[in-house]
Amino acid sequence: MDDSTLAAVAVLSDDLRRRMYGFIRRSDGPVTRDEAADSVGISRKLAAFHLDKLVDVGLLRAGYGRPGETRGVGRAPKVYEPTDLDVQVSIPQREHGLLADILLDAVRTQDPGESGRDAALRVAADRGRELGDAERGRTRPGRLGAERALTCAGQMLERHGFEPARATPTLVRLQNCPFHPLAAKDPDLVCAINHAFLAGFLDGLGATTLTATLAPRPGACCVELGTAVPPASATSPTGA
């Protein structure tokens, strides 16, 4: 949640403002101060105060006049209408829109002979890779060391509500599942999508020193990030 979202929520915590805002959203066109005041049973002057608060946080926009209507001699009334601001508050943070986008793209791009699950995992990996590429563009080019990679990954994870926490210097556990409670309906599918998304992100980031691993824990994300384990040598210590 950014500051503008918190400001909008704070303004809507007032019952009168919330009711006027709902009335204006349901209206077919711009609403005058008198109409807003009548909708909640208060004076025009008090309504103007509350309406201006809604304008200040971006929930409403103000203008002057409706076709053929004036107030006094040649004076158009001030009117209000809703903006496109979309206010969503969730604690802890959820990313249901991201999951829906992945599933929708999977349906649209599913190849002949490809299962719905495989299509979803493919799209999730591609989406994560795109995000990793963008994140890498904001960092210095070249190979990322483990520490730098964990820092970059942690910034993205924080923005998307995973609530990353360093369990050890080389392990990041994700305290929140942004896809909950949908994940509870089909944990195998949603966790696989989440894993593909985060693995794709690391790939796009160029974080070859890190790996995303499925490690389900109650009440937390099913994936954790850690330092990649180098492959075992093909030759044993004894040379056999």
Side-chain angles (χ1 to χ4, degrees):
M1 292 180 290
D2 56 23
D3 290 343
S4 62
T5 298
L6 291 173
V9 171
V11 165
L12 289 173
S13 66
D14 182 275
D15 180 63
L16 287 173
R17 293 174 197 154
R18 188 167 62 252
R19 288 161 56 198
M20 279 194 292
Y21 179 64
F23 170 75
I24 293 171
R25 287 196 59 85
R26 293 190 299 271
S27 298
D28 292 334
V31 170
T32 66
R33 287 175 173 174
D34 287 326
E35 290 169 334
D38 289 343
S39 74
V40 295
I42 59 176
S43 70
R44 181 177 182 275
K45 184 176 181 180
L46 182 56
F49 169 79
H50 288 304
L51 289 167
D52 287 342
K53 290 289 185 181
L54 292 166
V55 171
D56 289 342
V57 297
L59 288 165
L60 296 180
R61 67 170 62 91
Y64 286 91
R66 295 182 299 205
E69 184 175 4
T70 60
R71 180 180 178 83
V73 180
R75 183 181 170 193
K78 195 169 187 178
V79 295
Y80 300 84
E81 58 186 336
T83 66
D84 294 330
L85 181 64
D86 184 11
V87 179
Q88 298 184 36
V89 177
S90 176
I91 301 174
Q93 185 174 334
R94 301 302 183 204
E95 289 283 336
H96 296 153
L98 174 59
L99 181 60
D101 283 345
I102 289 172
L103 294 173
L104 186 60
D105 284 348
V107 172
R108 286 200 302 249
T109 65
Q110 186 174 352
D111 295 325
E114 184 181 33
S115 70
R117 178 188 177 90
D118 287 344
L121 298 185
R122 170 177 53 78
V123 171
D126 289 344
R127 184 66 60 87
R129 199 171 293 111
E130 291 170 2
L131 193 62
D133 286 339
E135 192 72 28
R136 188 176 187 182
R138 289 190 284 268
T139 66
R140 290 180 298 178
R143 182 177 179 182
L144 295 174
E147 181 62 29
R148 179 61 175 161
L150 281 172
T151 299
C152 291
Q155 293 170 350
M156 184 282 294
L157 294 166
E158 189 71 41
R159 287 197 302 272
H160 285 274
F162 285 93
E163 297 183 1
R166 287 279 187 102
T168 72
T170 59
L171 177 64
V172 171
R173 287 198 172 119
L174 310 179
Q175 304 296 85
N176 179 51
C177 173
F179 304 139
H180 186 80
L182 296 178
K185 294 186 175 181
D186 193 336
D188 289 342
L189 175 60
V190 177
C191 287
I193 289 173
N194 191 21
H195 181 237
F197 171 73
L198 293 175
F201 171 75
L202 295 180
D203 184 35
L205 186 63
T208 57
T209 55
L210 298 182
T211 185
T213 304
L214 274 172
R217 292 182 298 126
C221 178
C222 57
V223 178
E224 60 186 27
L225 307 183
T227 302
V229 178
S233 172
T235 305
S236 69
T238 61

